[in-house]
Amino acid sequence: MKNIFTLSATAVILLLACNSKKEPVEAAKPAPPLVEAVDPPDAPPKTWKEHWFEHVQLLNRVAYDTSVVVYYDGDVKPAVTWPKTYMADAWNYTKKVYGKFGDDSRLFVIYHAGKYGGGHPGTYLDAGHDYRNVTDCGSNDLNAWITGVDNDIDYLPMRLATS
């Protein structure tokens, strides 16, 4: 019992001695606040649930401007960024040559990876695609659209031409 008391007293003294240095304690910096971008009132939806043909994916908006709105399904690699500029250039040329297409003349561009090989258009006159100008492109390859060259881009103007 004497040993337990002596050991306990020694432990308390050592703990007090270790904590008596009066060194300033640095508080951890707080994490930066989460900032979620608030879209302007006329922004296209952040997500879009497909409801045509066999398509049933929840699409995520990855980019938009006054020319295009780009959506990917969950299997398209987020590092794929070239479609916004490429498709905006192609769509702007199409509008310059053929005129405006509906009240919202943006092109809604949809990409799929690992499913829906091929593609199809939709127009602002079609309820099936929520009255939007659409090009919906799929590839059975899970690594689709990564390069932004060759078949990645060769295929897309054909989809626009049939829109």
Side-chain angles (χ1 to χ4, degrees), residues 124-147:
Y124 71 99
L125 300 171
D126 178 22
H129 287 82
D130 303 329
Y131 300 102
R132 294 174 173 148
N133 298 304
V134 174
T135 184
D136 191 330
C137 303
S139 173
N140 293 323
D141 183 358
L142 281 170
N143 291 311
W145 319 116
I146 291 174
T147 64

Side-chain angles (χ1 to χ4, degrees), residues 94-105:
T94 301
K95 290 188 298 182
K96 180 179 168 186
V97 172
Y98 298 105
K100 188 176 170 183
F101 294 85
D103 293 333
D104 182 355
S105 65

Side-chain angles (χ1 to χ4, degrees), residues 42-99:
D42 62 339
K46 290 183 180 183
T47 61
W48 188 12
K49 177 73 173 173
E50 290 181 301
H51 54 89
W52 44 87
F53 310 121
E54 73 279 11
H55 293 226
V56 293
Q57 304 301 307
L58 180 63
L59 305 169
N60 295 299
R61 186 187 74 204
V62 296
Y64 78 97
D65 61 20
T66 57
S67 299
V68 295
V69 184
V70 181
Y71 288 93
Y72 293 167
D73 74 16
D75 292 316
V76 176
K77 308 281 190 251
V80 176
T81 59
W82 61 267
K84 179 182 174 287
T85 303
Y86 181 83
M87 293 305 290
D89 289 347
W91 188 241
N92 288 337
Y93 173 81
T94 301
K95 290 188 298 182
K96 180 179 168 186
V97 172
Y98 298 105

Side-chain angles (χ1 to χ4, degrees), residues 6 13 51 144 155:
T6 305
I13 291 170
H51 54 89
Y155 174 72

